[in-house]
Amino acid sequence: MGKALDILLGRKSSKFSLLEHAITRNSYLKNRQQAVFSFSQSDVIQLLNLGHQEQALLRVEHVMKSKNMLDAFDMIESYCHLLKQNMSLIEKKQRMP
């Protein structure tokens, strides 16, 4: 009866609110990682302009790790939005015997 009442009153399920929280948290972490990526990238450019190729090469590893993390955050964001779009279908299938 509680779930039916929540649906009738338009309340969001706890799973939905957890998903919203995950999307928000992912966005925050992605923005932080974007800042790290931008800083690392500009650091490499500056080192190359100063002629410090060996140091720049060492810093490129940080740039690559940051880019990989950004790609992972993008994938997580896409999956979360896909789950959000299909939440009603998922909940219907769970209720079926």
Side-chain angles (χ1 to χ4, degrees), residues 18-32:
L18 285 174
L19 185 58
E20 286 290 329
H21 180 69
I23 291 170
T24 303
R25 181 74 175 151
N26 186 66
S27 177
Y28 168 75
L29 293 172
K30 181 179 165 186
N31 289 341
R32 255 182 56 190

